[in-house]
Amino acid sequence: MDTTERVHFIGIGGYGMSAIARVMLEMGYTVTGSDVAAQELTEKLIAKGAKVYIGHTAEQVKGADLVVYSTALSKDNVERVEAERLNIPILHRSQMLARLLNERKGVAVAGAHGKTTTSSMIALVMEDCGADPTYIIGGEIMNVGTNAKAGKGDVVVAEADESDGSFLQYHPWLAIVTNIEADHLENYGGDFNRLKEAYVQYMNQVREDGAAIVSADDDNIASLLPRVKSSVVTFGIESKTAEYTATNIVLGDRQVSFTMNRRGEPLGTIALSVPGRHNVYNAMATVIACLRAGLPFEAIAASIVKFHGAKRRFQVLGETDGILVIDDYAHHPTEIQATISAAKATGKRIIAVFQPQRYTRTFFLLDAFSRAFGEADEVIITDIYSPAGEQQIEGVTSAKLVELIVQNSNPGARYLPSKDDVLADLKDRVASGDLVITMGAGDIWKTGYALAEHLRGRALK
C-alpha cells in the first residue's frame, strides 16, 4: 500500500468507514470523503486532517487514487458512478479493511453478539499493556473517545462483519467467534445453513501460525467445529471440555468478576467494570487473544478492569434522583435478554424501551422477540426503524409485536409509536428506583439522551 495515495471514502461518517479513514490518515494517506450530513465522527476526521464534503457530487472523486464505499451506498451514487467512469479503483469497506488486517497479525472478532465490546476490550488491554495495536472498531471505546487508531505494533484488531458476508475477505491470525445465531438471513437467501457455511470458511481462513478462538457453550459453533481445519481454542462457562473456563462468577451492579481457568487450573481473577454474564464471555475471548499476543495474565487482569465499555453498549447516560438512564445497541432477542438481565443486577425497576430495526429482522425473529422481555418490569415498543429503501412487510408491525409480547413474556408491554411519544410518557412518571433502558440499532438513543437531560434539568429547579 502506497501512503502517497489519496483515498476517498463515500459515506465517510459511518462508524466502520470513519474508523478506516482515521487509521489511514494516521498512516500518512491523504484522505477525503463525503456524507449526507455533518456529525461528530466527520468533525473528528476534519480535526485529524481529512477533507470532508457534505453531499455527494461527481467532482469530489476527481484526483483520488482509490475510492472506498460501504454496503449502505446505492450503486447509482454519483461519486461511485464517476469513479467507475474515470477507472479509479473502487473497494468495498471490507476489502479496504482486509488490506490493513491481512498484512499484519489480524485479530478479527465475529459473531452475532459481542463483536464491538470484545474488539474494544482487546484493543484497550493491548494498548494499556504497551503492545500499541492498530484497531478499527464499529463503536467508540469510552475510555479513549475514539473507534480507531494506527499503532506501530504488529497486531490489527477489527470486527469481522458476517451480516453481508464481508468477513470472508479476512485471513486473520486470530479469528474469534463469540456466538452464531440466525440473523441477517435476508443476505443468505433466508437459509441459516448458508450463514453457518460462511462461518466455517471464515474459521478455515486463519493463518497457519494462528487459531480460531470460539465459545464452546454455543451449540451452533460446536456443530461446526468438526469441519474446522485450523487450530481451535475453546472457552466457556457451561462446557466441561473447553480449554478455558470461568468459575466463581459474581454479578454486581455494573460490574462482574470471575476466576479464569486453563485446563482446570486457575490463572487468576478477572474483575470487570461492565455488567452481565455475557461480558464474562467477551472477557474470556479477550484474555485468550491477549495471552496469544504474549501479554502476561497479571497485566491483562490489571488492564481489563479499566474498560468502561463501548458507546451504546450499556452506556450510562445519566443518574439523577435515583433514576438511572442507560442506552444499549441491543437489537436481537438474545442481546435484549442479556441486556435486561444485566440491568436487573442494579436492583432497580426496569423500564425497557425497544425500537425494532428492519422489517426483515422483525419478520424472521418475531416469535423470539416476543419472548425476550420477561425480566423487564415494563416494556415500551416504538415503531420499526427501517433503513431507506427497505420494503415494508405486510403484517409485520410493532403493534403486532406488542400483542405477542403480552401473550408470551410480559403483560406490561405497550405500543407508543414515536420517540416523542415515549419521551412525553416517561418524563412525568419515572421515579427514584427506576432504570430506563433504551435499546435498538436505530435512533432510539436520542430518547435516552433527551430523558437524561430532562431529569438533570428537573433536578436543578
Side-chain angles (χ1 to χ4, degrees), residues 425-444:
D425 178 81
L426 293 175
K427 268 183 176 181
D428 298 322
R429 65 183 190 84
V430 288
S432 181
D434 285 346
L435 187 160
V436 177
I437 183 158
T438 52
M439 295 181 289
D443 61 357
I444 192 63

Side-chain angles (χ1 to χ4, degrees), residues 46-89:
I46 292 168
K48 276 278 183 181
K51 183 168 183 59
V52 178
Y53 303 95
I54 303 305
H56 300 298
T57 66
E59 188 71 25
Q60 289 162 187
V61 301
K62 291 179 179 176
D65 298 293
L66 185 65
V67 169
V68 183
Y69 71 96
S70 70
T71 304
L73 190 76
S74 65
K75 290 182 179 179
D76 60 357
N77 175 275
V78 292
E79 294 185 17
R80 184 171 173 180
V81 170
E82 181 69 0
E84 290 170 352
R85 189 185 73 79
L86 296 173
N87 293 317
I88 300 171

Side-chain angles (χ1 to χ4, degrees), residues 29 41 49 77 160 230 239 269 277 303 323 331 338 342 345 366:
Y29 288 86
L41 290 172
N77 175 275
S230 306
S239 172
T269 298
R277 197 169 186 265
S303 293
I323 304 166
H331 59 286
L366 191 60

Side-chain angles (χ1 to χ4, degrees), residues 235-291:
F235 63 91
I237 298 172
E238 307 296 339
S239 172
K240 306 300 182 188
T241 59
E243 182 175 349
Y244 290 87
T245 57
T247 54
N248 304 320
I249 298 171
V250 179
L251 302 173
D253 180 0
R254 285 166 272 177
Q255 60 187 0
V256 61
S257 65
F258 63 95
T259 301
M260 182 95 169
N261 312 283
R262 185 182 182 196
R263 299 195 179 104
E265 294 297 320
L267 293 173
T269 298
I270 294 292
L272 302 176
S273 301
V274 288
R277 197 169 186 265
H278 60 293
N279 274 318
V280 174
Y281 288 103
N282 297 334
M284 292 178 79
T286 296
V287 172
I288 296 164
C290 292
L291 288 171

Side-chain angles (χ1 to χ4, degrees), residues 161 165-171 188 197-202 205:
D161 188 3
S166 60
F167 69 156
L168 299 181
Q169 302 282 343
Y170 312 139
H171 295 267
Y188 292 88
E197 290 287 339
Y199 271 103
V200 171
Q201 182 179 337
Y202 164 72
Q205 290 177 180

